[in-house]
Amino acid sequence: MQAFTTLDGLVVPLDRANVDTDAIIPKQFLKSIKRAGFGPNLFDEWRYLDHGEPGMDPATRQPNPEFVLNFPRYAGASVLLARDNFGCGSSREHAPWALEDYGIRAIIAPSFADIFYNNCFKNGVLPIMLDAAVVERLFGECAASEGYRLVIDLDRQTVTTPGGEALAFEVDGGRKHRLLNGLDDIGLTLLQADRIKAYEERRRVEAPWLFA
Amino acid sequence: MSGQTLFQKLWDAHVVHVEDDGTTLLYIDRHLVHEVTSPQAFEGLKLAHRVPRRADAAVAVPDHNVPTTDRSQGITDPVSRLQVETLDANCAEFGITEFRMDDIRQGIVHVIGPEEGLTLPGMTVVCGDSHTSTHGAFGALAFGIGTSEVEHVLATQCLWQKPSKTMLVKVEGTLGKGVTAKDVALAIIGEIGTAGGTGYALEFGGSAIRALTMEGRMTLCNMAIEAGARAGMVAVDQTTIDYVKGRPYAPKGTAWEQAVAWWNTLHSDADARFDRVVELDAAQIEPQVTWGTSPEMVTTINGRVPDPADASSEVKSQDWTRALEYMGLQANTPIAGIAVDKVFIGSCTNSRIEDIREAASVAKGRKVAANVKLAMVVPGSGLVKQQAEAEGLDRIFVEAGFEWREPGCSMCLAMNADRLEPGERCASTSNRNFEGRQGQGGRTHLVSPAMAAAAACAGHFVDVRKL
């Protein structure tokens, strides 16, 4: 996994609540057996006017000029500003894969759906929760100033605005450590192999039907 | 000191190790696998030269991509076919039991787990699918995970977790005639919202929940994720134990006795404390119909499409306006009377034998209305289909003009050929009314099986209690 330390990124605002993972990456693209290549189909049904299917050349598609990701001023954005309950719905990890493949490395919202939030950390994408009132203010600043960027520092747990205001955010210590260092979860868990074995041996006696 | 909640009991039984900050390595008893969220996990395992720690704890089934029509020619879409073949190959390589497409036991992963006795009380159950919450109906701790965690469970049989907060959703009283577990689920979501359960494990309790069958409890727990909760659960009682007994993978003999003794302790203690308690009166719950693009956008069959001007906030008002536009609905339109183009009875929410019976009892002696282009019934598994056919339910549907299909996820998410066309309106027994969920531009209204069958026959939403 790629590490996340600091990011100075252009912000794209997606002003709607309850954005679900079906919207982030529609089902037809979930048929892929690969992890990469979902970026061109991020928000496919909002982003294009024509219907998307796997294998289509993005260059032949008709972009929807009304959709915020297609506004020239947001080209190259790496910070997504969003509303409440971002990433609700299905557990598909294709959602953070698509965001990351597109170039989004951090998402700022008042709240996230649990499974999506967790999936982001496995893929080098940092989900940041800020108060709804603060997010509201960032939406305003972003709309008012073209080229609006935020500086995110995971180690210090801050989001810094162009005006120099540092907004603090919370992140679980273990997740932070793994994301800062780009660590492989499985490798770390396997260091606990003796404990797992001891649990299994005890459980095999207590609840043998679980090992039948 | 207060007693323990069911969640705490299940959690404590599975703790392998706790870090200083409370992050816990939790042991996973059952890992259900399907074709969509597993290929990259198996690939990751192979790239790292790892093997499953316990192949015997995993069971796989293809469900999302499988056709619900004649399967003798296999899957025609080459991309779908490759995904199912990849599952077949991975299971064969790693020695994981799989119910393949031609196996009578094949079906939706959340239907076959309980049906086979693969889901048992007291287990931790995970699957790369958000509707894994379904299995909590058995007094199990069950939740959906992403593909990275699918790989993690395969490699280690564990997951790193922090304990959830707990919420008791108490439904007391008796449900009215024609009111089902689906209506209870939608009423709860209407009450607490689609993010109301975020960060919580929900426990459903109260006399109305105790009175539900296992099928009803599964419907309810299935929808916990639509309230934002990764896990939903119901305490073990005699209904649970009677359902599990004799299932192919359920324990037998002395192991059964030993298991039941533990399972009977799997309920929240009388003095257990929850972080939040929500109470609903069963008698007040009416048949529910969603009108928007989020499950919380729901009202009763006797309600009306709401007016965005009445929303509690500006953001919500914009959401409602956008939803009404997408759904092609006007504010204040009565729900009863909204015409439907298609009807889908199926999905991991409502495709079990009781759901099929409920729909059949409405369809019996009636005909699908002329304006309904397609009304389809997709049983949850090969065994549900077989049981329904033994009871003659398939003939009731076919005589009424419904299509009787092969088992799978089908039009709940339209990964196979079953889908809505742009602008089509559907009465659906599935779990999500998101934009494009059932096909780009499709308009989904979530209802119970009885309400879906009633809509099919009337050609529009109608109060099933008045038929």
Side-chain angles (χ1 to χ4, degrees):
Chain A
M1 183 181 78
Q2 60 176 326
F4 186 110
T5 50
T6 57
L7 173 70
D8 176 351
L10 182 71
V11 181
V12 58
L14 183 60
D15 192 5
R16 51 196 293 175
N18 298 315
V19 171
D20 59 75
T21 54
D22 276 81
I24 297 172
I25 182 82
K27 84 278 288 177
Q28 61 269 36
F29 305 106
L30 272 50
K31 295 178 184 182
S32 167
I33 59 171
K34 300 288 173 209
R35 232 175 223 270
F38 294 98
N41 303 109
L42 175 69
F43 297 118
D44 199 273
E45 291 182 3
W46 293 343
R47 200 166 140 203
Y48 301 101
L49 295 170
D50 56 332
H51 175 75
E53 283 294 331
M56 288 170 81
D57 177 0
T60 66
R61 304 286 304 277
Q62 302 166 41
N64 173 7
E66 311 267 296
F67 185 57
V68 69
L69 247 62
N70 293 327
F71 294 4
R73 65 183 276 192
Y74 298 122
S78 57
V79 178
L80 182 69
L81 186 60
R83 295 285 188 187
D84 263 314
N85 200 28
F86 188 84
C88 62
S90 128
S91 68
R92 60 188 70 167
E93 200 161 315
H94 311 67
W97 293 342
L99 286 158
E100 192 274 338
D101 197 55
Y102 177 85
I104 301 293
R105 294 298 312 281
I107 307 163
I108 298 173
S111 63
F112 293 89
D114 285 341
I115 303 177
F116 175 82
Y117 183 79
N118 191 41
N119 283 341
C120 283
F121 284 97
K122 316 285 183 190
N123 293 284
V125 175
L126 177 62
I128 297 171
M129 273 185 274
L130 294 177
D131 279 351
V134 175
V135 170
E136 181 66 40
R137 187 152 56 83
L138 296 183
F139 266 100
E141 290 180 11
C142 186
S145 125
E146 191 160 343
Y148 185 80
R149 301 176 77 85
L150 290 169
V151 178
I152 296 163
D153 187 325
L154 175 56
D155 189 37
R156 291 175 52 221
Q157 297 181 213
T158 54
V159 175
T160 305
T161 67
E165 182 189 10
L167 305 160
F169 64 89
E170 294 295 315
V171 60
D172 171 81
R175 282 176 167 147
K176 175 179 171 178
H177 174 71
R178 290 195 290 277
L179 196 50
L180 276 174
N181 297 289
L183 297 176
D184 167 15
D185 262 359
I186 295 176
L188 291 177
T189 307
L190 289 174
L191 298 176
Q192 306 286 340
D194 289 346
R195 288 186 166 120
I196 299 171
K197 190 158 170 277
Y199 174 89
E200 284 175 336
E201 281 170 2
R202 174 165 65 78
R203 201 67 183 144
R204 203 181 280 275
V205 176
E206 284 173 0
W209 65 90
L210 294 173
F211 296 83
Chain B
M1 192 180 142
S2 58
Q4 286 192 300
T5 61
L6 171 59
F7 173 80
Q8 287 159 345
K9 291 181 185 184
L10 294 169
W11 181 271
D12 288 354
H14 292 90
V15 171
V16 172
H17 171 65
V18 187
E19 298 271 295
D20 293 339
D21 69 348
T23 306
T24 301
L25 191 60
L26 206 64
Y27 195 79
I28 303 303
D29 295 315
R30 178 66 70 208
H31 186 188
L32 300 168
V33 178
H34 67 77
E35 79 277 20
V36 180
T37 55
S38 66
Q40 299 87 351
F42 282 111
E43 187 192 29
L45 212 60
K46 285 185 251 194
L47 287 172
H49 304 290
R50 290 173 177 141
V51 293
R53 180 174 179 87
R54 276 188 61 195
D56 66 301
V59 176
V61 68
D63 56 4
H64 285 61
N65 280 276
V66 299
T68 59
T69 47
D70 178 23
R71 289 181 179 172
S72 58
Q73 304 303 311
I75 302 173
T76 50
D77 174 356
V79 193
S80 284
R81 188 170 65 235
L82 176 62
Q83 199 166 54
V84 172
E85 286 170 355
T86 303
L87 180 69
D88 294 346
N90 283 325
C91 289
E93 179 176 349
F94 291 115
I96 290 170
T97 299
E98 183 195 2
F99 303 144
R100 291 194 181 195
M101 206 169 75
D102 56 0
D103 191 315
I104 185 75
R105 297 168 297 177
Q106 181 270 340
I108 305 172
V109 66
H110 307 308
V111 174
I112 66 130
E115 186 172 79
E116 289 298 312
L118 292 160
T119 302
L120 296 172
M123 275 183 164
T124 41
V125 180
V126 297
C127 175
D129 193 287
S130 61
H131 290 110
T132 308
S133 58
T134 308
H135 307 266
F138 290 80
L141 177 58
F143 53 91
I145 56 178
T147 298
S148 293
E149 290 190 329
V150 169
E151 183 181 343
H152 193 280
V153 174
L154 285 168
T156 69
Q157 207 55 41
C158 293
L159 281 177
W160 290 102
Q161 296 284 305
K162 277 208 170 160
S164 310
K165 291 181 284 184
T166 55
M167 188 191 305
L168 175 64
V169 181
K170 210 170 167 184
V171 190
E172 295 287 0
T174 308
L175 292 174
K177 190 171 175 293
V179 179
T180 68
K182 181 63 164 290
D183 302 304
V184 177
L186 288 169
I188 292 168
I189 296 163
E191 177 80 21
I192 69 173
T194 44
T198 303
Y200 288 92
L202 305 188
E203 179 176 344
F204 300 102
S207 55
I209 308 302
R210 296 259 69 80
L212 289 176
T213 59
M214 288 314 295
E215 285 85 352
R217 294 176 190 184
M218 283 188 254
T219 298
L220 194 57
C221 290
N222 173 277
M223 297 284 286
I225 184 67
E226 308 317 330
R230 287 180 78 178
M233 61 192 74
V234 175
V236 175
D237 62 8
Q238 199 56 43
T239 304
T240 323
I241 289 168
D242 291 345
Y243 181 98
V244 172
K245 190 166 192 179
R247 303 254 160 204
Y249 288 85
K252 310 273 185 304
T254 53
W256 170 259
E257 301 301 328
Q258 196 182 349
V260 170
W262 183 49
W263 296 347
N264 278 325
T265 68
L266 297 176
H267 49 79
S268 291
D269 297 329
D271 57 344
R273 281 221 287 270
F274 291 84
D275 296 300
R276 188 179 168 193
V277 178
V278 174
E279 296 188 50
L280 276 85
D281 177 359
Q284 298 296 317
I285 299 174
E286 292 192 84
Q288 307 277 308
V289 183
T290 63
W291 51 265
T293 53
S294 164
E296 71 183 13
M297 295 176 174
V298 64
T299 186
T300 69
I301 182 63
N302 297 309
R304 287 170 183 268
V305 174
D307 190 332
D310 298 334
S312 59
S313 70
E314 185 56 29
V315 171
K316 194 161 248 185
S317 176
Q318 284 170 13
D319 282 349
W320 287 12
T321 302
R322 199 183 282 121
L324 293 191
E325 192 179 321
Y326 180 85
M327 293 297 288
L329 291 172
Q330 299 294 323
N332 302 313
T333 306
I335 297 290
I338 296 174
V340 298
D341 303 304
K342 286 183 175 171
V343 174
F344 171 60
I345 297 171
S347 87
C348 58
T349 312
N350 280 131
S351 64
R352 299 177 182 84
I353 189 66
E354 184 182 282
D355 303 313
I356 308 287
R357 285 179 190 140
E358 204 179 273
S361 73
V362 174
K364 191 169 186 175
R366 293 194 169 88
K367 292 283 180 203
V368 170
N371 64 302
V372 175
K373 293 182 225 169
L374 171 71
M376 60 194 294
V377 185
V378 184
S381 71
L383 290 168
V384 169
K385 180 169 186 266
Q386 191 178 54
Q387 173 69 29
E389 288 173 355
E391 296 177 18
L393 305 182
D394 58 321
R395 290 194 301 280
I396 292 175
F397 286 119
V398 171
E399 279 165 21
F402 288 81
E403 291 192 14
W404 178 247
R405 297 288 188 92
E406 298 296 325
C409 299
S410 181
M411 208 162 71
C412 172
L413 85 167
M415 266 188 87
N416 68 353
D418 309 332
R419 70 187 59 159
L420 298 180
E421 297 302 322
E424 282 184 340
R425 189 178 303 286
C426 181
S428 178
T429 67
S430 56
N431 39 59
R432 290 188 175 133
N433 50 353
F434 298 159
E435 283 186 23
R437 172 79 178 181
Q438 294 192 295
Q440 188 168 9
R443 296 163 172 166
T444 303
H445 295 266
L446 304 176
V447 287
S448 73
M451 285 286 288
C457 297
H460 55 81
F461 291 108
V462 62
D463 191 338
V464 68
R465 299 170 300 182
K466 292 181 186 160
L467 286 184

